[in-house]
Amino acid sequence: MKRCAYLFFVATVLMPAAVTIRSNFEGGNIGRVEQLAPNHFRCHVNGEADQQHRNRQASWYYFEIDGAAGQEVTLDLVDLQGEYNFRPGNLAINGHTRPFISYDRSKWTALPDNAIEWDKIDLRLRVHLTPARSPVWIAHVPPYTTRNLAVLLAELKGNAHVVMEEIGKSAGGRNLMMLTITNPARPLVDKKVLWLMARQHAWESGTSWVMDGAVRFLAGGNPKAAKLRDSFVFKLFPMADPDGVARGGVRFNVNGYDLNRNWDTVDPKLMPEITALRKAVLDWTDGGRRIDLFLNLHNTNDDFLQGPLSLAEPDYRDLVNRLAALLKKNTFYDTKAPRDWPPGNVARGRMDACQYLFYERAIPTLLLEQSVQTNARLGRPLSSADYRRFGAQLVISMAMAVGVGK
């Protein structure tokens, strides 16, 4: 009987790895994900509503895509329609907002215009992406998390020009910080005082990058910064809603309260963030110290300055116009004519930080909104480096605008 040896060759077919999507990391957020095809996903943007279950904002997404290196992936971002100040129809994410991607969560790049399609009927943003490697992260705006802030604060330790104070705790128990930057060798009595606040709304990470750039400049070795420290005191709130930032929130604290409303109500249990921020400012002014300008940083889909132009003294209007002119001359900010506050009384519980501080203590306050869409002067969305550069330019412009006055 002959023995026959049979040699079997097994062909191995290399199948592409399954593409996965997740957001279970700090700042991450995406809702339900439906797989329509192997590389086509419908991603529902979570959004958030306030304590009254109104004013839903769908302004933030940040998630990881793994297993897609070299493959084209199609993402349909849906559930985008929201409500702003009880008016429906708000679309923070739309055909003019280009997603950012990163392969290391440090360097972020805006996708080109031809990578997105906007469906104005279904209100859907379709994104086409072929990652060069895996994983890749995608976000509405370059994220700035509590870890980024921790790195900045660690670098400031031991800096003779910087005082870091914990002014309270968030509803989730996180530290609320205030920075004071000045030259301690020069007496405070002769110095003008500028306040800057960022990140009242968690999705507005551009404001944190601006603050980061401002702080690094003011605390650093640039001769211009040294001159500013000699003549000014800078009071800075770097992150008003650390809980929202950590969880990938949008606009409201963990109890559903908008931290840029409700400044005329006192509730340290439900809104400890407002309580701490407001107390820090009022303690300063009630101690007989001056505030020459309080600037509140926010992100939206347009660049504009807004303040009480028709209510304040002429000196205030001159100050705002000077600042607007300086920003137009010295920065890429798409400066337009400053906007006045809307007419009429503010409903109880709807007063924002600028309104409260102006009405209660006659503090010269100003809102600065910065667009997350294509910057008209640069021709592209702003990168984290752009925001940082603007932060330094902003505090210089603020000082120049205030320095002209009395």
Side-chain angles (χ1 to χ4, degrees):
M1 181 176 179
K2 294 184 178 179
R3 294 180 178 269
C4 296
Y6 295 93
L7 187 60
F8 293 93
F9 292 93
V10 178
T12 301
V13 180
L14 297 178
M15 299 295 291
V19 176
T20 60
I21 292 176
R22 72 178 189 96
S23 61
N24 57 336
F25 48 84
E26 189 195 14
N29 195 343
I30 195 64
R32 181 164 52 97
V33 177
E34 303 170 75
Q35 189 168 13
L36 306 181
N39 284 17
H40 186 181
F41 300 87
R42 180 185 291 125
C43 303
H44 296 256
V45 175
N46 266 329
E48 281 186 343
D50 65 17
Q51 81 282 6
Q52 297 175 312
H53 308 291
R54 295 291 306 273
N55 296 305
R56 177 183 183 268
Q57 298 282 294
S59 310
W60 184 246
Y61 59 86
Y62 175 23
F63 55 92
E64 176 195 275
I65 305 169
D66 200 4
Q71 307 174 52
E72 181 174 338
V73 175
T74 300
L75 307 169
D76 290 342
L77 300 176
V78 298
D79 287 349
L80 303 179
Q81 190 160 4
E83 184 180 49
Y84 180 72
N85 283 343
F86 302 100
R87 297 191 300 270
N90 177 259
L91 283 168
I93 298 169
N94 55 57
H96 301 290
T97 53
R98 287 159 52 185
F100 281 77
I101 65 166
S102 175
Y103 294 104
D104 59 6
R105 289 191 280 185
S106 176
K107 181 180 179 181
W108 290 87
T109 304
L111 290 176
D113 285 337
N114 61 10
I116 63 173
E117 301 173 41
W118 175 245
D119 188 323
K120 63 181 180 181
I121 304 299
D122 293 337
L123 303 181
R124 178 193 66 206
L125 185 67
R126 175 165 288 176
V127 181
H128 299 282
L129 171 65
T130 303
R133 54 188 183 275
S134 193
V136 62
W137 289 267
I138 184 168
H140 183 199
V141 186
Y144 187 105
T145 67
T146 63
R147 293 183 182 183
N148 292 103
L149 178 59
V151 168
L152 173 64
L153 298 181
E155 292 177 8
L156 295 174
K157 285 184 178 179
N159 189 311
H161 308 297
V162 182
V163 175
M164 294 183 281
E165 302 173 67
E166 180 190 317
I167 60 170
K169 296 285 188 181
S170 67
R174 290 181 171 83
N175 294 341
L176 298 171
M177 301 301 297
M178 180 174 70
L179 309 181
T180 303
I181 303 180
T182 192
N183 180 358
R186 296 287 181 94
L188 293 179
V189 67
D190 297 328
K191 294 179 178 179
K192 295 186 177 182
V193 182
L194 301 175
W195 287 67
L196 195 62
M197 177 160 63
R199 215 60 181 278
Q200 283 184 293
H201 298 144
W203 84 267
E204 297 171 8
S205 57
T207 69
S208 283
W209 288 114
V210 171
M211 179 67 78
D212 188 289
V215 170
R216 290 179 184 279
F217 169 74
L218 291 172
N222 190 301
K224 291 182 180 179
K227 289 182 179 180
L228 291 182
R229 293 193 298 264
D230 287 344
S231 303
F232 290 87
V233 177
F234 294 89
K235 308 285 286 187
L236 309 140
F237 295 134
M239 188 174 286
D241 185 17
D243 295 345
V245 172
R247 73 172 186 274
V250 179
R251 189 181 178 93
F252 311 106
N253 79 350
V254 296
N255 297 315
Y257 288 89
D258 188 331
L259 299 184
N260 199 33
R261 302 293 186 270
N262 306 292
W263 273 63
D264 54 332
T265 59
V266 179
D267 194 327
K269 181 179 180 180
L270 294 178
M271 296 173 273
E273 300 90 351
I274 294 176
T275 300
L277 296 166
R278 181 176 52 213
K279 184 177 185 299
V281 180
L282 297 187
D283 283 353
W284 178 268
T285 58
D286 293 351
R289 289 163 289 196
R290 64 192 291 169
I291 296 180
D292 293 275
L293 181 61
F294 183 103
L295 191 66
N296 194 2
L297 297 172
H298 284 270
N299 289 143
T300 185
N301 290 336
D302 195 11
D303 285 354
F304 64 88
L305 300 170
Q306 187 174 43
L309 301 180
S310 60
L311 298 173
E313 298 296 324
D315 285 352
Y316 171 83
R317 292 192 292 273
D318 292 342
L319 167 61
V320 173
N321 287 329
R322 285 197 301 270
L323 178 59
L326 287 164
L327 292 176
K328 185 174 184 178
K329 178 182 178 182
N330 298 326
T331 79
F332 51 73
Y333 190 71
D334 188 21
T335 312
K336 305 171 183 67
R339 300 183 186 181
D340 199 2
W341 283 351
N345 296 324
V346 182
R348 179 169 176 77
R350 300 298 296 170
M351 192 171 283
D352 65 32
C354 288
Q355 292 166 334
Y356 176 83
L357 296 175
F358 174 77
Y359 285 122
E360 288 295 316
R361 294 295 190 275
I363 294 171
T365 60
L366 187 64
L367 169 71
L368 186 148
E369 292 276 10
Q370 192 163 30
S371 176
V372 299
Q373 297 184 357
T374 297
N375 179 276
R377 301 179 74 176
L378 296 181
R380 54 178 171 77
L382 300 182
S383 66
S384 54
D386 293 326
Y387 284 119
R388 274 177 165 163
R389 178 160 57 99
F390 178 72
Q393 296 168 337
L394 175 62
V395 290
I396 292 172
S397 297
M398 290 172 66
M400 292 175 66
V402 167
V404 174
K406 296 179 181 179

